[in-house]
Amino acid sequence: VACQVPDPEAGDRRIVETYTAPEAVLAGRYGIEAHQQYKVFAPAGWSHTDRRNLVVFSHGGAWSFGSADEVESVVMDQIAQGHVVVSIEYELEVPAFEQTADIVTAVRWAQANHGRLGVDPNRTFLAGHSAGAHLSLLAAVAPADLRGGDYWFPVLGVIAVAGPYGVNLADYAPTFVGIEVQSVLAKVNGCAAARCSQTELDRISPITYIDAADPAVYMVVGGDDDLAPVSHALAVESAYQSVGQDQRAWVDVVEGAGHQPGFGANAEYIEK
């Protein structure tokens, strides 16, 4: 995959991101529903007998589209560092906590099948891009009775890329391909109006639930991203600080980047 952007000053095009999408080593269903599909991406030298880090990745797509094939650059970074990534599909165009319930089901399946996947279930991480980052963090910090249940083994951390974590913030009103994101949220969450009420938005915002017992979170955000502003990642960081967990939340701003912060830009911090 080669992503190109115009250089208005030089009048040419620069390749800013190049990588080869991996082949899945395993694929199937993590649950009984037709949409509960997964694909496993593993690093070179991977074996079923390994005990590698388990990363359950949720794709982006405005809570309305996308698939397990969409291994964003953050997945490539994690595979390059030796982690096993289970990329999942979740039910689309349904309320957020129905989508997090799919994430919980997928994590429980992966943890239960750790011997087949070559992972250590004691080292489980959630990851996601865009809507998938929002859902992954929500699935990590929301109470179990809301998110869809408990995990077999605790989630240690979240790697969240370009996620809108503060959809309840008053100034969050971007558009996506000409459509207001707030209207998308209202539609998929079954809100009565074109914008969910403040109470409804608070309920599906990760920043509502953060407490001292939550997993660590590392957030990557593009400095010029309107869909997932830097302010949202900073709000998460601030929430961790307010509960005395300053060292458990990190924000990495990729200057000049939009909604795709870039392959390799975050590799050093993901390892930490």
Side-chain angles (χ1 to χ4, degrees):
V1 178
C3 303
Q4 297 181 328
V5 294
D7 181 345
E9 294 184 2
D12 62 4
R13 300 180 70 83
R14 296 171 294 135
I15 295 178
V16 295
E17 181 172 334
T18 303
Y19 61 87
T20 301
E23 294 290 334
V25 297
L26 292 170
R29 287 188 185 177
Y30 61 83
I32 62 174
E33 302 294 335
H35 67 270
Q36 293 177 321
Q37 304 281 339
Y38 73 85
K39 289 191 174 182
V40 178
F41 300 94
W46 167 84
S47 168
H48 294 282
T49 60
D50 292 346
R51 291 182 62 81
R52 298 175 183 263
N53 288 349
L54 166 64
V55 179
V56 177
F57 177 80
S58 299
H59 63 78
W63 306 276
S64 305
F65 59 89
S67 76
D69 290 316
E70 295 175 22
V71 286
E72 307 284 353
S73 55
V74 66
V75 173
M76 302 300 299
D77 286 334
Q78 292 169 88
I79 294 171
Q81 293 180 58
H83 311 323
V84 171
V85 177
V86 181
S87 181
I88 69 166
E89 297 182 12
Y90 47 88
E91 189 169 5
L92 303 174
E93 296 190 304
V94 297
F97 283 120
E98 292 184 35
Q99 296 178 318
T100 62
D102 279 336
I103 295 175
V104 172
T105 299
V107 171
R108 287 160 60 100
W109 174 87
Q111 291 176 333
N113 287 273
H114 62 90
R116 181 185 177 200
L117 300 177
V119 298
D120 181 354
N122 290 293
R123 296 194 57 78
T124 298
F125 298 83
L126 302 183
H129 174 258
S130 192
H134 162 263
L135 294 172
S136 294
L137 187 56
L138 191 61
V141 302
D145 61 339
L146 288 179
R147 72 185 179 215
D150 281 318
Y151 302 105
W152 297 130
F153 297 83
V155 170
L156 295 188
V158 182
I159 300 167
V161 181
Y165 317 113
V167 297
N168 59 338
L169 299 179
D171 62 350
Y172 185 61
T175 59
F176 174 71
V177 293
I179 302 172
E180 293 183 353
V181 171
Q182 286 291 350
S183 68
V184 175
L185 283 165
K187 178 183 177 183
V188 300
N189 286 284
C191 300
R195 179 185 173 108
C196 295
S197 69
Q198 189 64 44
T199 299
E200 290 169 322
L201 289 172
D202 289 344
R203 187 171 184 270
I204 60 172
S205 296
I207 57 177
T208 299
Y209 301 102
I210 292 168
D211 61 38
D214 287 331
V217 57
Y218 167 59
M219 293 162 287
V220 187
V221 58
D224 296 337
D225 191 351
D226 293 327
L227 293 173
V230 174
S231 60
H232 285 215
L234 296 179
V236 174
E237 182 183 52
S238 177
Y240 271 80
Q241 292 171 345
S242 70
V243 296
Q245 297 296 316
D246 305 49
Q247 300 304 312
R248 294 177 64 78
W250 302 273
V251 178
D252 183 18
V253 179
V254 182
E255 298 297 340
H259 203 49
Q260 298 284 349
F263 175 47
N266 47 19
E268 177 183 352
Y269 294 94
I270 286 175
E271 182 62 20
K272 291 180 180 180

